[in-house]
Each structure stands twice: as C-alpha cells, then as structure tokens.
Amino acid sequence: MSVPTPSRALLLWHVHGSWTESFVAGRHRCVLPVNESKDADGRGLMGRKWPRAQEISTTALRGEPIDLVVLQRPEEIDLATQWLGKRPGVDIPAVYVEHNAPRPFAVDSPHPLAARTDIPIVHVTDFNQMMWDNGAAPTRVITHGIADPGLLYTGEIGAAATMINEPCRRWRTVGADLLDPLAERAPIDVWGIDTDTIGECVFSPQVRGRGDVPTARLLPEVARRRVFLHTARWTSLGLSLIEAMFLGMPVVAVASTMAPLVVPPEAGVVSADIDTLGAALEHFIADGAAASAAGKAARDYAAAQFGLERFLNEWDALIDECCQ
C-alpha cells in the first residue's frame, strides 16, 4: 500500500484569483503574503474563504518554515529572497507558473527564467509552452482545473454572455473591439472588472456591461444566456471559457491561442472570421435545441479535461518532486 507524501508549506502570491482558488484546494498549506497597503506584492487572501490558505505578514515570513516557493512574476524572486532570507531555486525549491502567452512576439520572447536551470517553468497550456522561448529552463504543462460548478445552463435569455476584465484598457488583446460588430447579430451581456463603464469604448446599445459580480452570483446569471462568446485574441486559456463549458453552454470563440484546441466542433463554433462568429451567435440564439446539444458536448469535454482532481494530482506530483 502506497504511503501518501506529507503536505508541504507553499509560499505564493495572489496574482490570478481563479487559478489560485483551484490551487489552494489541494492538501498543502498555502501561505499568501500580506502587507499594509495590500498592493500587488501583498494582497493576502483578499477576503476569500480558503480553508488551507493563510495570510502572513511580509515581515513575519523569515521565520516561517516554507518548503516551496510558487513564483508567478519575475519580481517575486527578489521578494522571496528578501522576505525569507533564502534564494528561490538555490536555497529553497521553487517553481514558476507562467499564466500568459508571450508578448509582444512569440518568435522574439525569451522567458524571464530562460537562463535558469534550477527553477522549472510550469505553463498552463501547451500553446504557451510552445510559443515561449524557454531557453535552458526545464518546463512542463499543468493545464487548468476547476471545481465543477454544476450544470446550471437554462439559456432562457436570448443573448450572448461573455466575461472580460478591463475591456476598454485591454481592448484588442481581449477582443473587445469585436463586440460592436458582433452585437449587430445578437445582444451581448458582458461581466467583469470595469464592464460597468464599457459604454466609453463600445458603443452599440446591444452590448450591455453587467459589472464585476462575485462568482456565486455570476455563473447562474451567465448560464441564463443562450450562448457563451469568447473574443480574446492573445491570451492564455481563459478560465471563464472553461467555466462556461462546465455550465453546459454552447461556445462561439475566436480561433486564437488555445481556444481551437479545447472547443470541440460539437460544442460550438471556433472561427477567425467575424461573419462566421456572428452567424453562429444568431444560430444558437434562434435554435434552443441546437444550443442545448452543443452545451452538453461542451460540458462533457470540460469535465473530462479540466477537472480539479487531475489538476491537483499533477501539482502534487511536481511539488513532491521539487521537495525531495
């Protein structure tokens, strides 16, 4: 009978809330630094109720028995060295989670840790691993996993739903410029940070900003819309897309980065042609039976590929490997 390996103490920063929520659901004790200003270097839990995670002041970290540092930004190497008195990858094991696709160009983007051989880079998609120049750094891919929110889809509202944070600021990166022309084919409800001011950059009255809503209220509202729209041009695999698939929603998505590889044909339409995307929105809104069938296929695929247990098991294996 195999003996389970011990749980570890992990230092990580609250960078991406949805990814962190999945990560801290594992068996390890997760320590999140907090400072007085609660800025990007010390946000702590940000009010989240995560049983296995705890806030610790940046001034108290030096005496904390940390087993592994989970880096997500280059500057965290210096922060960890300063606060722990140990150098990640040298004095204490570390991994670097790369959430983003390379910018500005995949062909000319060496990763910030490309010259390091002592800190593995963990990419969240195969696309990211391929597109970054990882140099000498060891790499692996651990794709997203989330807790199943349940089959919430009703599709009772004949509109598209999408989730985009800061659409006006991030604009073409997240495909916010596509909302106006797509709204000629179907009304679009947009949730996320700063979507309550989306009228400053997106002018169609058919695009309706719904604001930044807590997940518990957000997902049931999204699931009332007939179809999910994913407009991002250059991003990692958005967790909002995976959430929508788990909800049982049909998907219409821009064919960029990882989206063509995670939305099977029976689950919706993925295209780089805006007329095709618009026609797909019209089709699903007009045909509830087709929308429900595609949504079921989307949910089946998401459950098979993006389950939380698989995600945590893969992370357990890597954590144990790094801490040997």
Side-chain angles (χ1 to χ4, degrees):
M1 184 175 66
S2 62
V3 178
T5 54
S7 63
R8 316 283 186 177
L10 314 177
L11 173 65
L12 72 153
W13 283 257
H14 194 151
V15 176
H16 293 280
S18 296
W19 180 89
T20 306
E21 182 156 354
S22 292
F23 186 83
V24 302
R27 60 188 175 86
H28 304 285
R29 183 171 71 93
C30 295
V31 174
L32 283 73
V34 62
N35 57 25
E36 288 187 7
S37 60
K38 294 195 173 182
D39 58 18
D41 295 335
R43 289 175 175 154
L45 296 177
M46 295 181 66
R48 304 293 182 92
K49 304 300 182 183
W50 292 332
R52 295 183 183 90
Q54 67 178 120
E55 293 181 347
I56 293 187
S57 168
T58 56
T59 59
L61 277 171
R62 188 163 291 239
E64 194 65 24
I66 301 296
D67 296 303
L68 176 76
V69 181
V70 180
L71 305 162
Q72 299 170 78
R73 300 170 299 155
E75 58 266 33
E76 292 170 2
I77 296 175
D78 289 337
L79 292 175
T81 301
Q82 175 186 345
W83 295 341
L84 296 175
K86 298 176 182 178
R87 296 166 293 173
V90 180
D91 305 314
I92 186 171
V95 298
Y96 188 103
V97 182
E98 182 51 71
H99 294 283
N100 301 312
R103 295 181 188 175
F105 309 112
V107 293
D108 296 318
S109 293
H111 194 274
L113 271 68
R116 302 281 301 251
T117 59
D118 51 358
I119 300 179
I121 301 172
V122 183
H123 292 283
V124 298
T125 70
D126 294 313
F127 182 91
N128 285 8
Q129 184 188 47
M130 175 68 73
M131 293 301 151
W132 275 105
D133 175 1
N134 298 295
T139 67
R140 71 176 63 192
V141 177
I142 299 181
T143 57
H144 292 307
I146 66 171
D148 185 354
L151 176 59
L152 303 182
Y153 179 67
T154 65
E156 65 200 76
I157 297 175
T162 190
M163 293 182 261
I164 305 173
N165 285 327
E166 301 178 278
C168 293
R169 183 184 70 82
R170 299 168 72 200
W171 197 232
R172 285 180 55 85
T173 299
V174 294
D177 61 300
L178 303 176
L179 295 174
D180 270 335
L182 288 173
E184 295 177 7
R185 313 292 289 271
I188 303 170
D189 290 324
V190 190
W191 283 268
I193 297 169
D194 291 344
T195 56
D196 52 345
T197 59
I198 199 170
E200 296 175 5
C201 61
V202 177
F203 303 111
S204 170
Q206 290 273 82
V207 179
R208 303 173 295 214
R210 299 299 188 184
D212 188 17
V213 178
T215 302
R217 289 197 290 115
L218 168 65
L219 296 185
E221 277 300 310
V222 169
R224 296 178 65 204
R225 273 64 184 176
R226 188 71 53 82
V227 58
F228 186 79
L229 173 64
H230 182 68
T231 58
R233 275 194 182 85
W234 191 249
T235 182
S236 190
L237 178 58
L239 279 166
S240 62
L241 173 59
I242 298 172
E243 288 171 337
M245 294 173 72
F246 264 106
L247 294 174
M249 300 187 73
V251 171
V252 172
V254 170
S256 184
T257 61
M258 199 70 187
L261 302 177
V262 301
V263 181
E266 60 273 19
V269 174
V270 182
S271 177
D273 177 66
I274 195 163
D275 288 332
T276 300
L277 296 174
L281 292 178
E282 286 185 327
H283 165 66
F284 285 127
I285 288 175
D287 191 337
S292 294
K296 181 182 184 304
R299 176 170 167 78
D300 288 346
Y301 184 89
Q305 299 296 322
F306 299 110
L308 182 60
E309 183 177 3
R310 187 272 312 158
F311 172 82
L312 294 175
N313 286 341
E314 291 184 17
W315 267 106
D316 278 351
L318 178 58
I319 291 166
D320 289 341
E321 179 183 320
C322 292
C323 292
Q324 286 178 352

